[in-house]
Amino acid sequence: MNIIKRLLVLLFALAMIFTVVACNTTDKQPGTTQTETTETPSKSDVDYPELTEYLNEDSVAIHYHRGDGKYANWCLWLWDPQGDDDSEEDVFNYQDENGVIAYYPISKFGDLTGGKLGIIIKRVGSWTKDGTENDRFIEFSKFTKDEHGVYHVYFFGGDAGIYQTKDKTMADSIESAVFDNEKTISVSCTNTIKSYEVLKDNVAILSSDASGKSFTAVLEAPADLKSTYKVRVTFENSKETLEKAVSLYNLFSLPVFDEEYEYSGELGAIYSEKETTFKVWSPVSDKIVLRIYNNGTPTSVSKTLGDDTYESYEMTKGEKGVFSYTLSGNLHGKYYTYVVYNSSFNGVEIVDPYAKGAGVNGLRGLIVNFKETNPEGWNPTVFLNTDRKSLVVYETHVSDVTSHDTWGGTAANKRKYLGLIEPGTIYQAGNITIKTGFDHIVELGVNAVQLLPIFDQANDEVNYSFNWGYNPLNYNVVEGLYSSNPYDGLVRINELKQVVQAFKDKNILTIMDVVYNHVNGANGSNFDVLMPNYYFRYNKDGSLSNGSGCGNEVASERSMVRKFIVDSCKFWCQEYNLGGFRFDLMGLIDIDTMNMVAQECKKINPDIVIYGEPWQGGTSPLSAGEAATQANGNRFVGYGQFNDQMRDALIKGGLNDKSSKGWITNTDYAFQSDLTVISYGINGATYKSNNTISDPDKNVTYVTCHDNYTLYDRIKACGITNEDTIRKMAMLANSLVLTSNGTAFILSGEEMLRTKQGDNNSYKSPDSINGLNYGMLVKNQDIYQNYIKLIEFKKTIDDLHQKNPDIKVEMIEEGGVIRYTLKDGDDTYLVIHANGLCKGYTVDLSHYTVVLDTLNTNIDDGNNSYVVSAFQTLILQQNSK
């Protein structure tokens, strides 16, 4: 299930922060698991009707019993595991003597083509879960409908089981069957078994009587990776016989596997003008056929533009399980696919995971001579040299910059790469003229633009529909939705390079948002077809683990998965001259892989900026010590992480309950814990009592990003209604961000007080919600000018770029005023931030010149007793003696 879709829909939970994250997350964080300590029946705290009237269609009644009788704060999250996740909290609506019931038609959840319904029992407005941290699935084939067409399913507080009756009867089921090593299979069942068989390629190779609910089968010969293995179990009471495939997952982690199959050479379509060599890694496959197309568009997409004619060539399997084929001639501009044959997939056509270009909708890979795609003046070997501590990162989406009517640019460029860099666009209101789009970003003064995913996504590239893009399809391919011609795979490559070049010419880095933690759909993906059970992580029962909240998670710790991620980052860095990467749900990537990404990319661009979300979107099998999470931040080498602690101290963002308030929004008192976090944050450090990340090169300071609310909407959501107060609070929040050490990060549009009309999960909301309304600059020009000054200050002041900062932060007025001194060469600056607790604090200005007053109060520089106002930031330059 999609976290961008699930975790971000609700912004109520406690943030780790993550753990983003979820979604898609991303400010996404796993909850904690609720367990019960009593089964003594208690009086229910809800009053729902009894279920006496039934629907005229198949339905499900989910029964939930808690020993404490407290149901009011519990709900369900239900979804179709194979469908689009448009889930929301589902309430309990009936009750009986056992507890509460959620009664719904099955049609509510879509077709349920897989015969399963995903379920999480959770606290209302939170991701605290009951019973288990893992997603659970109701398999309807294990239940019998009653006379009313109702499937009755039973759950109990603190219990991970899924039961057929209130007496905790479970259906016969093989819960897990997995190789522990080359010869040993472990099997676990729900009920007592009588006997079992082990089948290899559907032929029995071992049989035995058994007792109990689990057993271990020992094979005579080591497992053959090219074969399929199953266990066939007969249950004691029912005499029912069931089969389950045995997972090979653990075998891929054995040293012997890497010794035999780890490949260090180049993969993909290796182009030259004389010939192209195709290489693909698939040790388990028996046969792979290369198909060459002249056209990148299948007729299923367009009967008029498409062509399904191809030539085929059977590839040769060589060492390390690599299939290859060399085809003579200049193949630039032709398209290709692989047809794969193995024990799990027989003749399935896929796109090469290493494809570096693709046709429409990413359905056919593209062979590219990249020299032919370079814009005029392109020099991929020259990078901008920037100290990451001087960066102000502006996060935006390609579409957002140009989709609103106030952009005013060329209609054909709207929502496109070329629109993102179109110069000369303006918005006029009366006698006021506002720069928009590219010129607005340049005028603002930021020195880095972070683009939401621009790699190829699982979407319709012809018929526009907004989406953030956290649904990876082809990792090394540019997304075609923003191209002027999605049918020609070469056009998108050239246009993205134009984007990078245009920003580079203005001394602005392009940072790419990458999503290597999950794919749009694991089952049947190109990775899965080539190497079933290898590229993803799995639970003990053989189901895909879901640490991303998006239905799967990539097994980055596997040698060939690590190679793919590193190779992919190197390709983007070198071919597209990128300035950096932002890793979505970086906590799902292992530290060794992340360290290698940074190490290898720095060989190409020594100043590359890499950072990510140091959290996960759910429970992951990846061990805590291996994960690139905040807890391990001091082991990061060459990359950083989002300082969500600072964010939460200031505004309680992320997955916090929307009513929560931080230092910016709380006008009643200041928490000492928040003041401590802020003091460290100003010094470019992420503070946690047991693990402080003090290196400012590892810290990204921010209050908002694309996930969750905009700053205006977040402040309003916590109960602040006065518009003037909201404006001041919003300005104060990013004033602190932009006067702190470390990398500064702002969401596009905050400089104009952007609102998404309260939408806290706009991943697929319309342009009317997501687009930048430049008209907001007209009425918020004072805020905009403050941002321009603050950004310039952040970029130029020495003390905000120190490797080992020692900024002495004072907390006065009972925490209502924060003040500190910054040095810049021979100049000294006094910075003062005041929140709603500030009542009558005065400062002597007689020795200072006012550089910035965010409230624009026309201060007299000579005032020796200036009264600081609530929600004001002052930057004062000390006069020379």
Side-chain angles (χ1 to χ4, degrees):
M1 154 174 137
N2 192 313
I3 172 158
I4 296 273
K5 302 178 172 181
R6 184 214 305 167
L7 289 182
L8 296 181
V9 166
L10 298 169
L11 291 163
F12 303 102
L14 291 175
M16 152 185 156
I17 320 192
F18 216 8
T19 282
V20 103
V21 9
C23 203
N24 259 283
T25 318
T26 145
D27 298 320
K28 309 137 190 158
Q29 163 170 328
T32 56
T33 303
Q34 175 79 16
T35 58
E36 288 195 325
T37 58
T38 177
E39 278 299 320
T40 304
S42 301
K43 181 177 174 59
S44 172
D45 63 348
V46 297
D47 185 19
Y48 300 143
E50 292 185 10
L51 179 57
T52 57
E53 297 183 5
Y54 301 93
L55 301 168
N56 292 321
E57 60 178 301
D58 287 351
S59 53
V60 60
I62 299 171
H63 300 257
Y64 179 46
H65 170 80
R66 293 184 59 82
D68 59 10
K70 295 180 179 179
Y71 299 101
N73 292 324
W74 292 92
C75 67
L76 300 174
W77 194 274
L78 304 169
W79 74 97
D80 178 359
Q82 295 190 9
D84 291 335
D85 178 25
D86 295 319
S87 305
E88 58 187 5
E89 289 185 338
D90 292 296
V91 299
F92 293 100
N93 44 16
Y94 295 94
Q95 68 181 41
D96 61 12
E97 72 284 354
N98 179 69
V100 293
I101 304 169
Y103 177 59
Y104 292 106
I106 291 176
S107 60
K108 175 183 187 298
F109 310 105
D111 295 334
L112 294 185
T113 53
K116 295 182 180 180
L117 179 65
I119 179 170
I120 293 172
I121 301 174
K122 61 186 287 294
R123 282 194 178 276
V124 174
S126 163
W127 282 105
T128 297
K129 304 170 187 177
D130 189 10
T132 176
E133 271 293 304
N134 295 325
D135 295 345
R136 289 184 276 187
F137 299 93
I138 299 170
E139 297 184 46
F140 289 103
S141 62
K142 296 179 180 179
F143 296 83
T144 303
K145 289 183 290 186
D146 67 11
E147 68 274 17
H148 303 293
V150 182
Y151 292 94
H152 291 273
V153 187
Y154 291 82
F155 294 85
F156 296 84
D159 187 335
I162 302 176
Y163 299 97
Q164 293 175 312
T165 69
K166 64 180 181 181
D167 298 322
K168 293 193 174 183
T169 302
M170 298 187 77
D172 289 338
S173 175
I174 304 173
E175 291 188 311
S176 65
V178 59
F179 274 100
D180 293 329
N181 55 51
E182 291 178 286
K183 289 187 176 183
T184 304
I185 299 173
S186 291
V187 181
S188 177
C189 303
T190 55
N191 295 317
T192 302
I193 64 172
K194 180 181 180 181
S195 62
Y196 70 84
E197 292 180 296
V198 176
L199 291 76
K200 177 183 178 182
D201 296 329
N202 294 316
V203 176
I205 59 172
L206 177 65
S207 61
S208 177
D209 293 334
S211 61
K213 297 181 181 180
S214 62
F215 63 90
T216 299
V218 180
L219 307 184
E220 291 185 2
D224 179 358
L225 296 179
K226 295 181 181 179
S227 297
T228 57
Y229 292 83
K230 297 179 183 178
V231 291
R232 178 182 293 156
V233 171
T234 300
F235 288 86
E236 177 70 38
N237 294 328
S238 68
K239 312 303 180 188
E240 181 180 12
T241 297
L242 297 177
E243 290 184 356
K244 186 178 182 71
V246 181
S247 172
L248 302 176
Y249 181 73
N250 290 331
L251 299 183
F252 299 134
S253 297
L254 299 177
V256 66
F257 179 81
D258 279 345
E259 290 171 8
E260 187 168 354
Y261 293 112
E262 184 178 0
Y263 180 71
S264 60
E266 189 173 359
L267 294 169
I270 305 165
Y271 169 85
S272 75
E273 291 184 359
K274 294 182 178 179
E275 64 184 25
T276 298
T277 296
F278 301 85
K279 290 187 176 183
V280 59
W281 183 75
S282 183
V284 301
S285 291
D286 301 305
K287 175 182 173 181
I288 297 181
V289 176
L290 167 69
R291 287 182 178 176
I292 300 294
Y293 295 86
N294 289 322
N295 191 312
T297 304
T299 56
S300 60
V301 175
S302 173
K303 292 182 179 179
T304 56
L305 298 176
D307 183 352
D308 292 336
T309 303
Y310 62 84
E311 295 178 354
S312 60
Y313 307 87
E314 185 168 343
M315 304 178 77
T316 301
K317 189 172 187 178
E319 63 173 359
K320 303 295 185 180
V322 175
F323 287 78
S324 63
Y325 192 89
T326 298
L327 194 57
S328 299
N330 189 341
L331 303 184
H332 171 64
K334 292 186 180 294
Y335 296 84
Y336 73 106
T337 60
Y338 297 135
V339 182
V340 181
Y341 299 82
N342 55 46
S343 59
S344 298
F345 297 93
N346 184 32
V348 175
E349 186 176 18
I350 62 166
V351 174
D352 182 359
Y354 271 84
K356 295 174 180 176
V360 67
N361 295 345
L363 298 176
R364 292 173 184 168
L366 174 65
I367 304 162
V368 185
N369 176 0
F370 279 95
K371 292 180 181 179
E372 298 293 325
T373 67
N374 295 337
E376 185 177 350
W378 180 257
N379 188 343
T381 63
V382 176
F383 296 88
L384 295 176
N385 297 319
T386 307
D387 180 350
R388 64 186 300 155
K389 296 181 291 297
S390 70
L391 284 183
V392 180
V393 180
Y394 188 77
E395 184 194 40
T396 195
H397 186 286
V398 172
S399 243
D400 289 358
V401 175
T402 64
S403 63
H404 199 275
D405 290 342
T406 54
W407 171 55
T410 305
N413 287 342
K414 194 172 186 178
R415 308 184 187 93
K416 304 296 183 183
Y417 294 119
L418 296 183
L420 180 59
I421 56 171
E422 181 176 335
T425 61
I426 59 171
Y427 170 72
Q428 291 182 301
N431 60 353
I432 299 175
T433 299
I434 299 293
K435 292 181 180 180
T436 67
F438 179 73
D439 288 351
H440 164 72
I441 295 171
V442 173
E443 181 180 60
L444 182 60
V446 296
N447 49 8
V449 169
Q450 178 192 298
L451 297 176
L452 267 68
I454 50 175
F455 54 75
D456 191 40
Q457 301 147 31
N459 59 9
D460 184 344
E461 295 179 340
V462 177
N463 301 297
Y464 175 81
S465 178
F466 181 87
N467 196 291
W468 280 344
Y470 294 89
N471 50 342
L473 185 61
N474 297 303
Y475 279 109
N476 297 326
V477 175
V478 177
E479 168 58 29
L481 182 63
Y482 317 123
S483 168
S484 62
N485 183 3
Y487 295 101
D488 185 342
L490 297 172
V491 172
R492 64 184 73 180
I493 296 172
N494 170 266
E495 291 178 347
L496 180 58
K497 287 184 174 181
Q498 288 188 57
V499 169
V500 175
Q501 182 73 24
F503 280 121
K504 182 178 175 182
D505 288 346
K506 299 296 183 180
N507 293 313
I508 299 173
L509 299 176
T510 300
I511 296 174
M512 178 180 177
D513 193 335
V514 292
V515 190
Y516 293 108
N517 66 84
H518 74 275
V519 298
N520 181 67
N523 292 327
S525 66
N526 47 9
F527 292 114
D528 187 44
V529 170
L530 288 168
M531 277 296 292
N533 294 318
Y534 182 83
Y535 281 93
F536 305 99
R537 298 185 185 123
Y538 294 83
N539 299 312
K540 290 182 179 180
D541 65 359
S543 63
L544 286 158
S545 57
N546 191 20
S548 68
C550 303
N552 63 84
E553 56 181 291
V554 171
S556 63
E557 67 278 11
R558 294 272 167 83
S559 61
M560 293 302 290
V561 183
R562 175 176 295 150
K563 171 180 169 58
F564 177 83
I565 294 172
V566 172
D567 287 350
S568 179
C569 290
K570 288 170 60 180
F571 165 69
W572 283 104
C573 176
Q574 188 152 33
E575 187 58 46
Y576 291 92
N577 200 230
L578 295 180
F581 298 107
R582 176 263 191 194
F583 274 73
D584 181 68
L585 293 184
M586 186 175 70
L588 287 176
I589 309 296
D590 67 283
I591 292 176
D592 287 345
T593 296
M594 284 303 308
N595 286 351
M596 190 176 293
V597 166
Q599 174 184 315
E600 292 301 312
C601 287
K602 283 180 179 295
K603 292 177 182 178
I604 301 168
N605 175 7
D607 295 315
I608 193 166
V609 179
I610 301 174
Y611 54 85
E613 295 179 302
W615 46 73
Q616 299 171 348
T619 303
S620 171
L622 181 65
S623 70
E626 291 182 84
T629 57
Q630 202 166 74
N632 299 318
N634 286 309
R635 292 165 55 198
F636 297 175
V637 180
Y639 57 100
Q641 48 87 50
F642 283 95
N643 185 352
D644 63 299
Q645 306 301 310
M646 177 75 157
R647 178 206 65 190
D648 288 349
L650 291 173
I651 67 164
K652 294 295 185 288
L655 298 180
N656 282 285
D657 187 285
K658 67 179 181 180
S659 63
S660 300
K661 295 181 179 180
W663 186 84
I664 298 291
T665 47
N666 196 331
T667 57
D668 297 323
Y669 48 84
F671 291 104
Q672 182 57 50
S673 58
D674 287 345
L675 295 175
T676 300
V677 168
I678 293 168
S679 178
Y680 275 84
I682 289 169
N683 278 276
T686 299
Y687 175 80
K688 280 188 164 183
S689 59
N690 61 346
N691 179 53
T692 295
I693 305 170
S694 56
D695 184 350
D697 280 331
K698 295 181 180 179
N699 281 277
V700 177
T701 306
Y702 76 115
V703 285
T704 54
C705 63
H706 70 275
D707 288 327
N708 311 312
Y709 292 104
T710 66
L711 191 46
Y712 173 91
D713 291 341
R714 177 68 189 92
I715 294 170
K716 194 168 185 178
C718 77
I720 310 297
T721 57
N722 183 278
E723 287 291 316
D724 187 54
T725 301
I726 293 173
R727 295 177 86 254
K728 293 176 180 177
M729 286 181 171
M731 187 69 255
L732 177 61
N734 268 329
S735 294
L736 268 151
V737 169
L738 292 166
T739 53
S740 296
N741 210 314
T743 301
F745 179 103
I746 61 175
L747 172 65
S748 60
E750 299 294 22
E751 74 278 10
M752 60 185 85
L753 216 62
R754 179 184 188 179
T755 176
K756 294 185 183 179
Q757 308 305 318
D759 188 337
N760 62 3
N761 183 33
S762 66
Y763 76 96
K764 64 172 187 178
S765 299
D767 291 334
S768 58
I769 295 295
N770 284 296
L772 293 179
N773 178 0
Y774 296 98
M776 299 291 288
L777 283 169
V778 176
K779 67 176 184 177
N780 294 307
Q781 190 62 206
D782 56 336
I783 288 178
Y784 180 50
Q785 294 302 320
N786 286 339
Y787 269 90
I788 290 176
K789 294 176 183 177
L790 282 163
I791 290 169
E792 184 63 24
F793 189 77
K794 168 61 181 172
K795 292 192 301 182
T796 56
I797 300 301
D798 290 343
D799 261 5
L800 296 180
H801 311 153
Q802 295 299 315
K803 179 66 176 175
N804 299 295
D806 187 23
I807 301 171
K808 307 299 184 184
V809 181
E810 298 178 80
M811 303 291 182
I812 49 184
E813 289 286 300
E814 297 183 340
V817 174
I818 298 173
R819 58 177 282 167
Y820 46 96
T821 298
L822 299 173
K823 299 285 290 184
D824 182 48
D826 295 330
D827 294 327
T828 300
Y829 296 86
L830 175 63
V831 180
I832 297 173
H833 303 289
N835 72 359
L837 297 174
C838 179
K839 308 287 192 222
Y841 174 72
T842 61
V843 59
D844 183 355
L845 301 180
S846 58
H847 300 295
Y848 293 94
T849 298
V850 178
V851 175
L852 175 68
D853 166 18
T854 57
L855 299 186
N856 298 301
T857 55
N858 297 317
I859 301 173
D860 178 2
D861 290 345
N863 189 333
N864 61 5
S865 186
Y866 175 76
V867 180
V868 177
S869 300
F871 315 119
Q872 185 176 25
T873 289
L874 293 173
I875 299 179
L876 311 171
Q877 183 175 5
Q878 186 173 317
N879 297 330
S880 301
K881 295 182 180 179

